[in-house]
Amino acid sequence: MSSVRPADQLFQSHPSVVPTAVTGAWYEEVFGSGALRWFANSFVVAVVTTLVSLALGTAAGYSVTRFTFPGRRVLLACLGISYLFPAILLLVPLYLVLASLGLAGSLAGIVIAHLTITLPLTTWLMKSFVEAVPRELEEAAWVDGLGYFGGFVRVTLPLLRTGLATTAMFAFILSWDEFLLASVIAQGDTVTAPVGMAGLVTSFDIRWGAIMALSTLVTIPVVVLFFVLQRYYEKGLTAGSVKG
């Protein structure tokens, strides 16, 4: 509601829930300040981060669940420990690494930075979802000659639709809303929506109306993604598939 209020109604001493007048000036200001570029950058970064996180996280979650190999416990411990430290501790070393690779200020650099946040989470989530799939289904596929990879692709992966949809939602939101790492790595034309929103706060003025408008627009992709994926949020996909 605040994103369509005129400026004189944003700071009323007795504000009302429903504005007495409506204006689109704040949205015009947002789009005039480069919001389309910010949204395009955020969308590309979030989608690529989500896809890479799903691919690597699913493979890692399946591996640590179904196989025993040297360093398995260490890998799981490192994934858990990674969330004990705030992301700001990674900021300086991560920027130095990206700068040495020539990726600082690029969308690829932001994607790599976001993977440090999303990949441990996607691995843990997919590990729990893989554990819920009965191993007997894969063993039956192995007997039929599919092998490990064939059994995973044709039997296990279809049963992970709920897990993939849920994990994709978490990974997308984490990347879409991330500000700290992007604020340092993004430069010029690679600024993302959260970083662009912070630019509306200056030393001389805070564009509250534009911030409200941009905040409203930022929620739209997340809401759309939820409605697209909600049909996959099913429970008990494997219920009754194995007896005994």
Side-chain angles (χ1 to χ4, degrees):
M1 300 300 293
S2 296
S3 68
V4 295
R5 293 177 186 270
D8 59 346
Q9 294 190 27
L10 286 175
F11 305 101
Q12 289 179 325
S13 58
H14 300 286
S16 61
V17 176
V18 180
T20 57
V22 175
T23 179
W26 302 123
Y27 288 94
E28 294 177 2
E29 179 179 341
V30 166
F31 285 112
S33 59
L36 291 178
R37 168 65 66 179
W38 303 341
F39 270 81
N41 292 339
S42 291
F43 184 78
V44 170
V45 170
V47 169
V48 174
T49 301
T50 301
L51 293 178
V52 175
S53 296
L54 279 181
L56 297 180
T58 303
Y62 180 81
S63 299
V64 298
T65 302
R66 292 291 191 254
F67 303 106
T68 301
F69 52 88
R72 176 177 175 273
R73 292 180 179 273
V74 176
L75 175 61
L76 291 175
C78 290
L79 291 175
I81 293 174
S82 64
Y83 276 99
L84 296 179
F85 303 95
I88 195 171
L89 292 180
L90 296 175
L91 192 56
V92 173
L94 184 60
Y95 180 83
L96 293 177
V97 171
L98 293 177
S100 64
L101 297 175
L103 296 177
S106 66
L107 295 180
I110 302 176
V111 170
I112 294 175
H114 286 184
L115 286 174
T116 63
I117 301 174
T118 61
L119 190 54
L121 176 64
T122 56
T123 301
W124 271 111
L125 288 176
M126 292 310 302
K127 174 181 177 295
S128 64
F129 283 112
V130 172
E131 290 175 344
V133 177
R135 188 183 182 90
E136 290 80 0
L137 295 177
E138 296 179 14
E139 293 175 348
W142 300 341
V143 172
D144 292 337
L146 288 179
Y148 288 111
F149 183 76
F152 169 73
V153 173
R154 301 183 62 178
V155 176
T156 306
L157 195 59
L159 296 176
L160 294 176
R161 289 176 299 174
T162 299
L164 291 172
T166 304
T167 305
M169 173 68 74
F170 279 108
F172 184 89
I173 292 176
L174 281 175
S175 179
W176 181 261
D177 292 340
E178 201 281 323
F179 168 76
L180 179 63
L181 299 178
S183 65
V184 176
I185 299 173
Q187 300 174 6
D189 293 336
T190 62
V191 169
T192 58
V195 180
M197 187 184 303
L200 297 175
V201 179
T202 66
S203 302
F204 304 98
D205 188 21
I206 300 179
R207 308 296 297 170
W208 287 113
I211 291 175
M212 295 298 176
L214 187 55
S215 299
T216 303
L217 295 174
V218 165
T219 63
I220 294 177
V222 177
V223 174
V224 172
L225 180 64
F226 175 80
F227 281 107
V228 170
L229 297 180
Q230 69 172 345
R231 64 191 182 97
Y232 294 105
Y233 296 158
E234 302 168 358
K235 302 297 182 182
L237 287 175
T238 59
S241 60
V242 178
K243 297 182 179 180

